[in-house]
Amino acid sequence: MDNREFLEYMNSGKEIKCCSEIHKHMHFLSQEAMKITAQINGSYHTEAEIRGLFSQLIGKEVDEHFVLFPPFTTDCGKNINIGKCVFINSGCRFQDQGGITIGDGTLIGHNVVIATLNHAFEPENRGDMIPAPVVIGKRVWIGSNSTILPGVTIGDNAIIGAGSVVTKDIPANTAAVGNPAKVIKSIGEHKS
């Protein structure tokens, strides 16, 4: 199995059976991601060096205005898609096997967790996993210590308050807070 086949399968939303070929490739990519994130987190790097390492991690170039403050961890890397001018603050943890898309101009606060996998509900199949993508729109601001769960879409210009747990889609141009996150306010539509 190659990375293209892996990503096609993961992006199909099909269940991943424990110990299957797809599961084994997932572990292979996890080992690669751990090596690269250990480099990112192990010592000081210039912004250009961070961009280079992050581009290697995700398998595609990030733009010249991408900023990441380490430490950062992810357990795959190859299913992250980053827009332009994205900022990821320190301590973030991504589980990207199911796919993470982050739109242009998005700001991600300290210690944000983005998860894209659920485990099977039945105890005898608990090792099986179900991928579901997280899509974060343009100019979104995710506050520190928030958790974004599998399958969630956050619309353009939305704000997620610090410490929120986002379990359902958040519309564009709204602010949401809490556990589970609920929309508390509208934001004037952004003029592009």
Side-chain angles (χ1 to χ4, degrees), residues 29 36-37 63 93 103 155 172 188 190:
L29 290 176
I36 298 168
T37 56
D63 89 299
R93 296 179 178 272
H190 179 78

Side-chain angles (χ1 to χ4, degrees), residues 6-178:
F6 172 79
L7 292 174
E8 282 177 9
Y9 188 93
M10 296 306 290
N11 294 331
S12 75
K14 295 177 189 170
E15 187 173 71
I16 301 123
K17 291 290 186 188
C18 185
C19 302
S20 65
E21 284 305 308
I22 196 86
H23 193 237
K24 289 175 187 172
H25 195 75
M26 184 184 295
H27 280 278
F28 167 78
L29 290 176
S30 293
Q31 294 301 309
E32 185 177 284
M34 283 190 274
K35 286 178 190 173
I36 298 168
T37 56
Q39 289 178 325
I40 289 171
N41 300 327
S43 63
Y44 172 77
H45 298 284
T46 66
E47 288 183 354
E49 289 169 336
I50 290 286
R51 284 191 298 275
L53 287 165
F54 198 87
S55 295
Q56 182 183 349
L57 176 66
I58 68 172
K60 47 199 153 296
E61 291 295 316
V62 294
D63 89 299
E64 64 181 331
H65 302 291
F66 170 79
V67 176
L68 168 72
F69 287 177
F72 172 83
T73 59
T74 191
D75 49 7
C76 179
K78 301 301 184 242
N79 214 0
I80 297 173
N81 296 290
I82 300 278
K84 296 177 181 175
C85 298
V86 169
F87 173 71
I88 301 173
N89 217 326
S90 62
C92 290
R93 296 179 178 272
F94 290 5
Q95 178 196 54
D96 68 286
Q97 287 94 335
I100 296 173
T101 300
I102 301 171
D104 297 348
T106 288
L107 309 172
I108 300 180
H110 293 92
N111 303 315
V112 168
V113 173
I114 301 176
T116 65
L117 293 175
N118 278 315
H119 285 276
F121 189 75
E122 304 80 20
E124 62 274 12
N125 298 320
R126 192 63 45 82
D128 297 349
M129 291 167 277
I130 302 99
V134 168
V135 178
I136 300 168
K138 295 177 181 178
R139 299 171 303 277
V140 172
W141 173 19
I142 300 177
S144 296
N145 297 302
S146 293
T147 300
I148 316 299
L149 295 182
V152 165
T153 295
I154 300 172
D156 292 349
N157 309 314
I159 297 171
I160 306 301
S164 295
V165 178
V166 184
T167 61
K168 295 182 179 166
D169 292 355
I170 302 298
N173 303 303
T174 62
V177 298

